[in-house]
Every structure is written in structure tokens, then in C-alpha cells.
Amino acid sequence: MNVIRTFEDYQHHYQKSIEHPENFWSDVANGLTWRKKWDKVLEWDFHKPSVKWFIGGKLNITENCLDRHLANHANRTAIIWEPNNPDEDARHITYQQLFEEVCKTANMLKAQGVKKGDRVCIYLPMIPELAYAVLACARIGAVHSVVFAGFSAKAIADRINDAGSNVVVTSDGAYRGDKTINLKKIVDEAVQSCPSVSKVIVKEYIKSGAPLTPGRDVWWHEEITKVSADCPAEEMDAEDLLFILYTSGSTGKPKGMVHTCGGYMVYTNYTFRTTFQYQEGQVYWCTADIGWVTGHSYILYGPLSAGATTVMFEGIPSWPNPGRFWQAIERHKVNIFYTAPTAIRSLQQAPIEFIEKYDLSSLRVLGSVGEPINEEAWHWYDKNIGKGKCAIVDTWWQTETGGFMIAPIARVTPLKPAFATLPLPGVQPAVMNEGGLEVNGNGVEGRLTIKFPWPGMARTIYGDHQRFKDTYFSTFPGKYFTGDGCKRDEDGYYRITGRVDDIIIVSGHNLGTAEIESAVDEHPLVTETAVVGFPHDIKGQAVYAFVICYEKPKDEEKLRGEIRDTVSRIIGPIAKPDKIQFVSGLPKTRSGKIMRRILRKVAEGDVSNLGDITTLLDPAVVEEIKAGAL
Ligand code: PRX
């Protein structure tokens, strides 16, 4: 199954994957279970754009994640569920149990009217039912659209309406550290503006006493008892939809990225096994939420298709104390630990006793994802968590890519702090200059594109193929544009330098400036807003909003609070601006375009050289903004 064990293997496999991509990927795909093998490996055209992998292949991804492990590993733990509260017991769910739960959940969805091709919105906390619901959709060919349980009613409603979901799966609430959140109430508010929703399935969890709406809402625990545990998997075409997952765009509403069954399965399986060098029997923990792509690909599909034991953590790193991660690593003897730079940086601040208390000697591989990891955090992670003995894999990828793209292979690729290192087999990066030309050779810098398809890539934006083309395939025609900048050093190693578009990555979460701006504008006193990112010690980047009001605010602090609440209500707490500066005007060009370059400099606290401002309609506004900078 295309196993890489040495750097020479990597070089050899990489070469093969470039010279004969179709042979390479069909070898990989042959390691998985198919109902029917493909007639053709690949058809593609990045101008249309159109990409199809394993054409004519038939499969069900859950047969690879569940059924195929039952013959020999039915009693192996598939999921270790670590609850929010460390005083409660963890749960070990075997492959056999997971299989049965998924089949029952699938039958429950069917009984509630879900059919192949329907889009099911899942809004659940990190409890086992979230995994059951996702896999149950895949089992019956329904398309899951998971919405992170920190999003607001408005954000859920937008996603339900965009996908045309008919069924929502939620719970009566969630625990988050010492807080509880009433998810059902949020769903009730959301579905008021979602005419497509006919059923809401509610998992009773925190016993919040959430009322059910008769005719629409049903209890999970009641319906599940009415169905059998026998649910044959639906046969899916390789290019049938597996899921939609929304990600912020630099303009307009979030984009529903579409992933399909065959290519995504092959890619997540391959990249999981290869990058982490997963060995049978190891315990693997990705701390992401299943509401993000990291959780889809590397808590569920990648690990389960590889027969791994994957930890699912309900809680947060800081509660009841900053030792929570390290405690769980000791408790479950975790071998591979995968988290985000923002979590590393926040835990770095805590007294070292919170780490020293725990035995971390089981660890072999440490991963990082979500944003560039700064050198300091990289070294801290290596020294204090890895004890200098673990491979550190900094994985660069995106919701759109489905799986890892540029990442070291654990204990195979020589590491360089803060570098995502080299492309994985099958990935062909190209660095472009602003003039649109590819820059060859090493020791170069530019915009990161990918010039050849890989099986895990998103196929379209749900309902808006034109936007897919415009966003990813028009800036550099014939190439997939990532939106990221990068350096390729003298050794050909890649370092991702961050977004070059209007997306801000806050604590590893993608936020579009346009989306935040329109949320701030919803406040009745606000006329216009411009949002930029600024460096933040823990979050990586944070949100800085420049706000024009109809009249000078009487109580600026109070208004700031109200604006933050507005953003929280419309998008979710993650998008709240850290800094809000009230201004009387914004630096606009004569054609009305906001010069964000200037605002970024002000937000970064670097106003010594703002560059040429003579093209501004009103250069005086810059002085006022500089003077009021926070
Ligand atoms: O800017 C890059 C950054 O996160 C973006 C993708 O965000 P999202 O679709 O939410 O997926 C996050 C999880 C894969 C990228 O365009 N990013 C992600 N991982 C890294 C990174 N930047 C630098 N280094 C990384 N390892």
C-alpha cells in the first residue's frame, strides 16, 4: 500500500507520483475496498474547472471505515471518547460497537425521511453521536453538512438554506469547560427562517429541558429504539457527494465546499497513514472539532479508514486547568498528538508544572495545523511536549484540499522549524509571482498554487460553480490558487507565510473580512466598517475593526460591547473584533476602494512608513486614524 519508510522512499514515490500520477493513485486506491473498481483514474481540466477521480468506481466510505475492520479487529477501540469533565470516565467504542451505532443511526435517519442525496445539517457537540451521525449519512448516501457548534443561529440558517437541508440533527445542549450552551434553542431560532427543514432530531444530553416542536422535532433516544442495527451501505459512485463543509470567503457569504466519495477516501487514508507514519495499535489524538475539516479528515475518515484508534475530545485545553491535554495524553497513552499553534501558544503561558505532572513518554509524533507555527512555539512544542524525541509534522492544507498537501513525513523528512517542508506524493506546487508567472528554482517567494489535481480536492462550491472558478482558478489560469503566500528556500522546503487575500486566520479559524464587516454594519449606529487582521501573541492573528458611526459615540466602551455582541449573534463568538477604533472616515482611493494596506499597518502598530498615500481621496483621514490607533 505504497508505504514510505525512508527519505529515499519518499523521493522515489514522489517522482513516481509526478511522472505517472494515475498509476501512483490507482496503486494507493487498490489498498481500499471498492464495490466496483474504476474504469479510468483521472479526467481533469483546471480551466473549466472539472476534476474527476476513479471514474466509474463504486464504493461506500463507511465500508472502509467500519465493515472492513470487523473480520480481524472488531474488538479494537475505534474511538476513545474523552469527556469535557476529567472526573468522568472516558468511553472506548470498538469497531463493532461503532458499526452498530452507525447502522442504527442510519436507519433512524431513513425513518425520518432522509434519502440518498439529501443534505443533512449536523449541529452537535463533540459527543459520540456526532461521529455516528456523520458516518450514518455517509452510510445511506446522504450528504452531511456539519456546522461547528459555536456558530450562531444566523450562520446555521445561512448554511441550511444554502444546502437546502431537510433534516437537522442537534442536541439539547453542550458542555464547554464550566459552561453549558443550549444548542437546541439556537437551532429553533435558526430553522424559523429555513423552510426546507421538516425534521429536527434531538439528542438529549445536558437535559436542558428543551421543548420539542410537535410534528417537527423528535428525540434521538426514542427514535433509535424503533430501528434495527442492520443497515447495508448504499452503493455510491466515486464522484457522488460525500459532504459539504462551509469555509469563509474573502468576499460574500461562506462557500460550501463539496467533497466526493472516492477521491476523498483515498486521499485522507493515504495522507493519514503516510504523514503520521501510523502503526497498527497506536493511539492517535487530533484535538480539532469535527465541525472543521481537520475533524472530518483526521478524526474520522482518515484514521477510521486506516483502522486506527482515534481520540475524540469533548472539552477545551484550558479547563479545569491548562494540564488538560497532557493529562489525557497520559491517561490514554497517546502516541500521535495533533493540535493547533494557537493551543500551543496559549498552553505555553501556563506554569511548567502542568506538563511535568504527567507522563508524556508514549508520544512519538506531534502535529500542527491551521496557521503558520512560529519558531518559538515550534521549539517549545518540541522540547516540552516531545522531549526532543518526537517528529514534528507541520501540516499545510485547507478545507478545499481535503487533506494534507505540504507536510513532513514523520521520522522520514528532515525537519526545519516552522517549515511545512516538502509536498506529499501527488502534490505539485508552483510558486507564482504577482505578474502571474511561475518562479522556478529555489530561494524564491510568491503565491502558492497547485498545478496538478490530487484526489482529495474539492470539486465545486455547492450551487455556485462559477464562484469556484473565480475564487480558485482565475487568478492564475490553469492552476489552483490557494490564497496563501509562501517561500521556497534553498533546499526546496516550503514555508507558508500566510494569506494574501482578505481572509484572517484567528486561532486557526478562517474568517472573511467582508463577512465580519457586514456583521458589524448590522449595528444600528454603524455606517461603514473596514476589518483587518493584526498579530496576536496567542491567536496568531486577531480582528481589528475601523468603524464609522452615524454620530460620534457617547460611550465608546459600551458601543464596543454592543458591536461585539452583534458579531457574536450574526457569526459566532470566534469572529468578535479584539480592537474597535471609531473613525470619521476610511482611507479610500478616488475609485472608492479601501486601501487596506494602510489599515493593516496601523493595526500592526507600524505607522512609520505607510507608503504612497497621495492617491487617496482624503489623505487627512490617515492622520486621524494614526492618532487614534489602539
Ligand atoms: O492559510 C492557510 C492556513 O489555514 C488556511 C486553511 O484554513 P481552513 O480551510 O480553515 O483549514 C484549516 C485546517 C487545514 C490555509 O490557507 N493553514 C492551515 N495549515 C497551515 C496553515 N498555514 C500555515 N501552516 C500550516 N500548517
Side-chain angles (χ1 to χ4, degrees):
M1 282 217 292
N2 282 57
V3 177
I4 294 177
R5 291 286 177 252
T6 64
F7 194 60
E8 289 67 39
D9 288 349
Y10 162 72
Q11 288 171 317
H12 170 73
H13 285 231
Y14 188 76
Q15 205 52 34
K16 181 178 162 201
S17 77
I18 302 303
E19 285 167 10
H20 306 288
E22 301 194 11
N23 293 350
F24 176 83
W25 285 113
S26 66
D27 281 356
V28 175
N30 272 322
L32 290 152
T33 302
W34 297 77
R35 292 268 181 99
K36 173 183 169 287
K37 290 277 171 76
W38 48 95
D39 306 314
K40 195 171 173 205
V41 180
L42 172 65
E43 268 176 21
W44 69 291
D45 175 349
F46 272 1
H47 290 280
K48 278 186 182 162
S50 162
V51 173
K52 292 183 182 147
W53 283 91
F54 309 111
I55 299 141
K58 305 284 179 197
L59 74 148
N60 186 293
I61 196 166
T62 67
E63 290 189 329
N64 279 280
C65 292
L66 302 169
D67 308 50
R68 86 181 173 117
H69 307 309
L70 297 184
N72 299 322
H73 307 299
N75 294 326
R76 178 187 290 170
T77 302
I79 296 179
I80 299 176
W81 180 71
E82 171 70 22
N84 176 62
N85 185 345
D87 297 334
E88 286 169 18
D89 289 338
R91 282 174 55 191
H92 291 249
I93 302 161
T94 65
Y95 272 95
Q96 180 68 38
Q97 289 165 334
L98 182 60
F99 171 75
E100 285 165 17
E101 294 293 347
V102 169
C103 287
K104 276 198 282 181
T105 310
N107 282 333
M108 173 176 74
L109 291 177
K110 280 204 247 178
Q112 296 306 316
V114 177
K115 292 184 297 300
K116 182 176 182 177
D118 286 354
R119 280 81 55 209
V120 175
C121 172
I122 302 177
Y123 186 69
L124 280 169
M126 282 286 282
I127 55 177
E129 284 73 12
L130 172 53
Y132 305 159
V134 166
L135 295 167
C137 286
R139 186 96 183 150
I140 61 174
V143 178
H144 53 79
S145 167
V146 182
V147 178
F148 170 61
F151 274 124
S152 67
K154 165 100 176 36
I156 305 169
D158 288 347
R159 285 158 175 76
I160 290 175
N161 288 331
D162 187 77
S165 300
N166 52 346
V167 171
V168 180
V169 185
T170 189
S171 72
D172 65 348
Y175 297 111
R176 198 178 155 73
D178 57 0
K179 296 192 193 63
T180 55
I181 304 159
N182 190 332
L183 299 185
K184 174 65 167 49
K185 208 166 138 214
I186 301 172
V187 167
D188 283 343
E189 192 188 328
V191 296
Q192 274 174 19
S193 50
C194 301
S196 59
V197 173
S198 54
K199 276 278 178 287
V200 178
I201 302 173
V202 188
K203 162 77 191 163
E204 185 175 52
Y205 184 51
I206 68 165
K207 303 215 164 35
S208 65
L212 297 196
T213 300
R216 187 196 71 187
D217 301 353
V218 293
W219 285 117
W220 177 304
H221 63 269
E222 287 177 3
E223 300 308 316
I224 203 91
T225 57
K226 301 178 188 165
V227 296
S228 88
D230 177 25
C231 180
E234 188 74 32
E235 183 169 287
M236 305 297 285
D237 188 86
E239 285 297 333
D240 278 342
L241 269 63
L242 175 63
F243 67 85
I244 303 171
L245 186 60
Y246 287 84
T247 186
S248 296
S250 45
T251 54
K253 57 179 191 169
K255 303 165 291 193
M257 303 314 307
V258 169
H259 285 280
T260 57
C261 297
Y264 177 82
M265 170 180 79
V266 171
Y267 200 68
T268 51
N269 175 272
Y270 177 75
T271 50
F272 171 76
R273 288 188 292 107
T274 305
T275 306
F276 292 123
Q277 291 284 292
Y278 184 80
Q279 309 291 320
E280 200 168 312
Q282 287 186 324
V283 176
Y284 160 86
W285 180 15
C286 165
T287 69
D289 191 290
I290 291 173
W292 309 112
V293 73
T294 311
H296 281 57
S297 301
Y298 299 110
I299 295 178
L300 296 179
Y301 290 116
L304 295 175
S305 68
T309 297
T310 176
V311 178
M312 188 174 165
F313 176 46
E314 183 190 20
I316 54 173
S318 54
W319 187 82
N321 61 56
R324 188 70 180 97
F325 276 175
W326 324 128
Q327 175 188 43
I329 290 175
E330 175 185 88
R331 189 172 282 174
H332 302 299
K333 300 195 173 40
V334 172
N335 306 112
I336 303 170
F337 178 69
Y338 185 36
T339 194
T342 185
I344 300 168
R345 287 189 300 261
S346 74
L347 297 172
Q348 212 178 325
Q349 321 270 319
I352 199 81
E353 297 86 78
F354 283 109
I355 301 170
E356 286 172 344
K357 254 167 73 174
Y358 300 106
D359 176 7
L360 304 183
S361 62
S362 56
L363 289 171
R364 297 287 173 274
V365 178
L366 300 176
S368 169
V369 61
E371 58 180 302
I373 177 164
N374 48 308
E375 280 192 47
E376 195 200 344
W378 195 101
H379 286 296
W380 183 88
Y381 198 28
D382 178 36
K383 176 167 170 261
N384 295 286
I385 309 305
K387 317 289 179 199
K389 286 195 234 138
C390 292
I392 311 260
V393 295
D394 176 8
T395 60
W396 174 81
W397 61 296
Q398 309 177 298
T399 306
E400 295 84 341
T401 70
F404 305 150
M405 298 292 281
I406 302 183
I409 297 174
R411 284 184 301 283
V412 166
T413 311
L415 300 175
K416 250 186 221 190
F419 277 74
T421 74
L422 297 169
L424 290 173
V427 175
Q428 301 190 30
V431 180
M432 311 297 288
N433 65 21
E434 293 203 19
L437 295 176
E438 182 171 353
V439 284
N440 291 308
N442 289 337
V444 295
E445 197 169 336
R447 292 169 184 221
L448 179 59
T449 66
I450 313 290
K451 57 185 175 189
F452 195 84
W454 62 100
M457 69 187 292
R459 303 296 195 257
T460 189
I461 292 173
Y462 192 74
D464 199 348
H465 196 66
Q466 186 60 40
R467 189 175 179 199
F468 186 60
K469 178 175 178 171
D470 295 345
T471 311
Y472 303 105
F473 297 90
S474 300
T475 316
F476 303 105
K479 298 195 169 65
Y480 167 81
F481 178 41
T482 64
D484 281 321
C486 75
K487 288 182 180 160
R488 185 166 58 211
D489 78 357
E490 299 304 334
D491 299 321
Y493 269 43
Y494 290 83
R495 179 178 192 147
I496 310 301
T497 46
R499 300 292 305 191
V500 293
D501 54 10
D502 288 324
I503 286 181
I504 314 175
I505 308 225
V506 179
S507 299
H509 304 312
N510 251 358
L511 299 168
T513 50
E515 209 185 340
I516 306 175
E517 285 161 5
S518 64
V520 175
D521 291 349
E522 291 282 310
H523 190 285
L525 288 184
V526 174
T527 338
E528 197 181 353
T529 311
V531 157
V532 295
F534 71 98
H536 186 282
D537 283 350
I538 292 176
K539 301 179 184 181
Q541 279 200 301
V543 176
Y544 194 124
F546 297 87
V547 177
I548 308 177
C549 295
Y550 284 103
E551 55 191 48
K552 199 173 159 25
K554 291 188 189 69
D555 182 343
E556 290 199 351
E557 251 343 280
K558 181 161 169 277
L559 183 55
R560 285 194 181 96
E562 287 173 14
I563 289 174
R564 289 194 181 102
D565 288 347
T566 308
V567 174
S568 199
R569 181 168 50 78
I570 294 173
I571 307 176
I574 49 174
K576 282 195 282 196
D578 276 63
K579 293 188 180 176
I580 299 173
Q581 180 181 349
F582 297 105
V583 294
S584 67
L586 291 167
K588 288 191 182 169
T589 61
R590 277 167 230 280
S591 59
K593 202 169 176 299
I594 297 171
M595 272 188 142
R596 288 172 189 278
R597 172 174 65 75
I598 295 174
L599 297 177
R600 268 188 220 115
K601 287 260 185 194
V602 172
E604 283 163 13
D606 170 19
V607 289
S608 55
N609 178 16
L610 293 181
D612 182 13
I613 58 167
T614 55
T615 57
L616 290 179
L617 192 58
D618 177 14
V621 85
V622 175
E623 287 310 312
E624 180 214 311
I625 291 177
K626 268 162 62 175
L630 300 168

